[in-house]
Amino acid sequence: MSRTARRGALAAATVALTLTAAACSSSSDPGSSSGPGASSSGSSAFQAQHKGGTLKLVAHAAAGSFDPQVNYTLQYWQLFQSMYDGLLAFKKVNGQESFTVVPDLATAMPKVTNGGKTYTFTLRRGVTFSNGKALTTDDVVASFQRIFKVSSPTAGTFYNGIVGADACLKTPASCTLSKGVIGDAKANTVTVNLTAPDPEFEYKLAVPHAVVVPKDSPTKDAGTKPLPSTGPYMAASYDPNRALKLVRNPHFKEWSRQAEPQGYPDAIDYTFGQTVESEVTAIENGQADWMYDAPPADRLNEIGTKYASRAHVNPLTAFWYATLNVNMAPFNNKLARQAINWAVDRSAVVRLYGGTNLASPACTVLPPGFPGHVESCAYTKGGGTTWKAADLAKAKELVKQSGTAGQEVGIVVQDDDVNKSIGQYLQSLLTQLGYKATLKPLSGNIQFTYIQNTKNKVQLALTSWYQDYPAASDFLNVLLSCASYHPGSDSSINISGFCDKGVDAKMQAALKTSQTDKASADKQWGAIDQTVMAQSPVVPLINPKMIDFTSTRVGNYQFSKQFYMLVGQLWVK
């Protein structure tokens, strides 16, 4: 999912915690049931006796725009699962089956013809938006156009294979996709034509950037004005400085428990602006039910002992990393970039994040257990396939060779405790290497969009990436392809600005191979990962696990490997 996720974790003091849910790593078997359209059993029936109440969520900061086709964060992608719908959806269940794609606004999985290039969907009848308007094929067509008109962060990577997308990417305002997405109101069908087969297309239709919104939705980022939804919840109000309130969509009727189950709470109140100290206290006292942020160090022992049964730990297919701007000094010099990779003590970052129970050192872009991952570590003292130790002497020598010593480097991080502590470590490290390093903490509400925009001249940023769906391209192609680099845009997910034509050609070849031979394609992606690391546009730091700390009021905790805790499925007293 992800969208970057902005979560910290409990520290090593939480060793007493029990791993309560299945690991959030994708199946490495391309033929497993995690593939699009795989068949599986349905989820349990709605239990009416648990319906009601107000679920209270807290976070230090909001996550920016609430536009589902623009926002690219775990914080809101979690919520969108109970609000918005696409033609397809990831199954809303606990565990491995959550990687399964099922029909949502479509009555069935698409009919695929034309050698894998044409997808035909029959639209469900009787679905109504929260504003009372019936959903039609026109809304679906307009929503695909809107992906490009609002310059969705994945327009150039997920949806650029739609016929006509190239023109839409060049001139978004006039996007029609007239031959790419065709609605037939009489037959109640929508046909999507691709320029080439895409074995990942059904995954791409099941993430929030492809949800259907009303055809009269603004053709620019809706920002703080939530769009009408089709799911069980709608946004009643949103003030990113204070709170978000979700209430029941009065027009929702469950059409598929797998794709969009009825929610349990009557309302979901999400409050922003609290300190992490106060968030922990509120959960312990039952004044809040769940926190998004990392608990502070002085509260870890009590959570790991007294409240261990309420802390849910889940391994993730994700990585935290530092971006190095390849188009600005000093990191327009490859030797300077490689020096940072050699210098970083990943074990130190693991400790700052929460200890070995909650993170492990990362050497590659693709996380362990993910399609295409190869055990390889190009930047570890003494060499080897796994990270052992930093080599500060080698790093200093590379800085000297690069001639960049003495230059100023700004480090942009989020202002929560965990991100800031890692940022302080990076600042100290760069100072040791001879740079004049400055730490620039920003609110989590704006940091992610800020570091994407080239106008802000960000040299080094700390961020993270959590899968959108289980495919290697979702890391390498999305984060480091030329198509993901959009100078001057808040939606330039290739934050390093890395655009290597040779690497891009290898990515395109891997994407083509995946149409017929996923196993071979995964080997190609593994090789691309190592090629990218040789160029060093990013510094992989850690592979994290996630903590969900809940109150005694909460029951029915479920962890989707795709979208994490299923907020709308929680029971609340």
Side-chain angles (χ1 to χ4, degrees):
M1 94 229 79
S2 157
R3 321 127 332 250
T4 56
R6 300 201 281 268
R7 286 295 297 274
L10 303 179
T14 59
V15 68
L17 295 178
T18 301
L19 296 181
T20 58
C24 186
S25 58
S26 70
S27 171
S28 59
D29 175 9
S32 75
S33 62
S34 65
S39 62
S40 55
S41 59
S43 52
S44 59
F46 184 75
Q47 299 183 48
Q49 69 271 27
H50 294 292
K51 181 180 179 181
T54 297
L55 182 66
K56 299 177 181 178
L57 314 179
V58 288
H60 176 64
S65 170
F66 205 66
D67 191 321
Q69 293 190 311
V70 173
N71 188 281
Y72 211 178
T73 70
L74 165 64
Q75 190 168 352
Y76 287 166
W77 275 36
Q78 272 187 300
L79 300 181
F80 292 158
Q81 301 317 301
S82 295
M83 297 181 66
Y84 296 99
D85 298 279
L87 292 169
L88 305 177
F90 284 95
K91 196 173 177 183
K92 306 301 190 301
V93 292
N94 191 62
Q96 186 68 26
E97 283 192 51
S98 59
F99 282 145
T100 303
V101 176
V102 295
D104 190 359
L105 294 178
T107 59
M109 295 302 291
K111 181 181 179 182
V112 184
T113 56
N114 189 27
K117 294 190 291 185
T118 297
Y119 288 69
T120 303
F121 301 86
T122 299
L123 200 61
R124 292 187 191 274
R125 296 186 186 275
V127 178
T128 305
F129 287 105
S130 55
N131 62 1
K133 294 183 179 180
L135 180 141
T136 69
T137 56
D138 287 346
D139 297 305
V140 179
V141 173
S143 294
F144 275 98
Q145 295 169 353
R146 190 176 185 272
I147 292 171
F148 298 92
K149 290 181 178 180
V150 300
S151 297
S152 180
T154 52
T157 50
F158 285 12
Y159 311 107
N160 61 337
I162 298 174
V163 172
D166 51 351
C168 290
L169 289 167
K170 290 177 183 177
T171 54
S174 59
C175 179
T176 64
L177 298 174
S178 59
K179 295 181 180 179
V181 182
I182 303 162
D184 183 334
K186 187 174 181 179
N188 205 35
T189 60
V190 174
T191 300
V192 181
N193 292 309
L194 305 181
T195 57
D198 181 358
E200 297 171 13
F201 192 58
E202 290 176 1
Y203 284 143
K204 296 169 183 177
L205 294 180
V207 298
H209 289 164
V211 299
V212 178
V213 293
K215 61 184 178 183
D216 57 358
S217 297
T219 54
K220 62 180 181 179
D221 184 351
T224 60
K225 296 181 179 179
L227 300 174
S229 55
T230 48
Y233 295 100
M234 55 181 274
S237 60
Y238 177 44
D239 178 349
N241 295 313
R242 297 182 60 194
L244 167 69
K245 186 176 183 64
L246 305 184
V247 296
R248 289 193 182 277
N249 171 5
H251 301 284
F252 177 77
K253 293 181 180 179
E254 186 179 281
W255 57 78
S256 167
R257 185 138 189 87
Q258 292 187 354
E260 189 63 286
Q262 175 66 275
Y264 283 102
D266 283 339
I268 300 172
D269 287 351
Y270 209 147
T271 305
F272 312 120
Q274 297 191 36
T275 66
V276 288
E277 287 276 1
S278 64
E279 291 175 25
V280 173
T281 300
I283 293 171
E284 291 177 351
N285 294 339
Q287 297 165 316
D289 299 311
W290 175 83
M291 63 186 292
Y292 181 74
D293 306 290
D298 63 347
R299 309 298 292 276
L300 297 175
N301 186 60
E302 66 190 86
I303 294 173
T305 54
K306 188 176 180 180
Y307 301 100
S309 64
R310 290 155 52 184
H312 313 270
V313 186
N314 298 282
L316 306 174
T317 43
F319 82 136
W320 282 45
Y321 66 108
T323 65
L324 305 177
N325 190 331
V326 303
N327 300 309
M328 281 186 66
F331 302 125
N332 55 356
N333 187 306
K334 184 170 74 172
L335 296 179
R337 300 197 301 270
Q338 291 175 332
I340 306 302
N341 256 304
W342 281 110
V344 169
D345 183 345
R346 288 158 172 83
S347 291
V349 180
V350 167
R351 289 192 296 272
L352 291 169
Y353 183 83
T356 55
N357 291 307
L358 297 170
S360 57
C363 288
T364 57
V365 175
L366 296 174
F370 205 67
H373 173 78
V374 175
E375 287 295 321
S376 171
C377 202
Y379 302 100
T380 186
K381 192 170 186 177
T385 57
T386 58
W387 192 85
K388 301 182 188 71
D391 194 332
L392 201 57
K394 187 162 189 170
K396 288 181 176 178
E397 178 59 31
L398 286 171
V399 171
K400 183 178 179 181
Q401 290 177 29
S402 73
T404 60
Q407 293 186 16
E408 296 183 355
V409 178
I411 303 169
V412 183
V413 302
Q414 292 178 40
D415 64 357
D416 63 86
D417 293 347
V418 172
N419 278 272
K420 201 156 57 173
S421 66
I422 296 173
Q424 289 167 344
Y425 163 72
L426 294 173
Q427 180 186 17
S428 173
L429 182 65
L430 264 68
T431 300
Q432 289 183 63
L433 293 176
Y435 295 109
K436 298 176 182 177
T438 305
L439 188 64
K440 301 178 179 179
L442 295 177
S443 167
N445 189 41
I446 62 171
Q447 191 257 6
F448 186 50
T449 51
Y450 181 90
I451 62 177
Q452 292 183 68
N453 198 319
T454 56
K455 293 177 182 177
N456 296 322
K457 303 186 185 306
V458 175
Q459 294 161 290
L460 189 156
L462 175 63
T463 190
S464 52
W465 190 254
Y466 293 59
Q467 69 161 67
D468 292 304
Y469 52 80
S473 63
D474 184 50
F475 278 74
L476 291 163
N477 188 48
V478 170
L479 297 180
L480 294 161
S481 68
C482 298
S484 289
Y485 179 52
H486 308 289
S489 168
D490 283 349
S491 297
S492 184
I493 198 64
N494 183 344
I495 299 166
S496 296
F498 178 76
C499 179
D500 183 298
K501 298 297 184 183
V503 172
D504 244 44
K506 291 179 179 179
M507 290 188 189
Q508 291 304 311
L511 287 168
K512 187 172 183 179
T513 300
S514 69
Q515 296 171 12
T516 55
D517 188 346
K518 190 174 185 301
S520 295
D522 285 344
K523 290 182 179 178
Q524 290 177 260
W525 285 115
I528 291 167
D529 195 351
Q530 294 175 66
T531 300
V532 166
M533 287 312 303
Q535 293 293 320
S536 196
V538 298
V539 184
L541 298 172
I542 59 170
N543 299 119
K545 297 177 184 178
M546 173 168 280
I547 304 298
D548 284 319
F549 182 38
T550 56
S551 75
T552 55
R553 298 189 337 126
V554 169
N556 200 40
Y557 175 90
Q558 296 182 55
F559 188 85
S560 158
K561 291 188 176 185
Q562 176 62 31
F563 290 118
Y564 303 179
M565 184 181 76
L566 297 176
V567 175
Q569 294 306 294
L570 293 175
W571 300 337
V572 57
K573 294 179 182 178

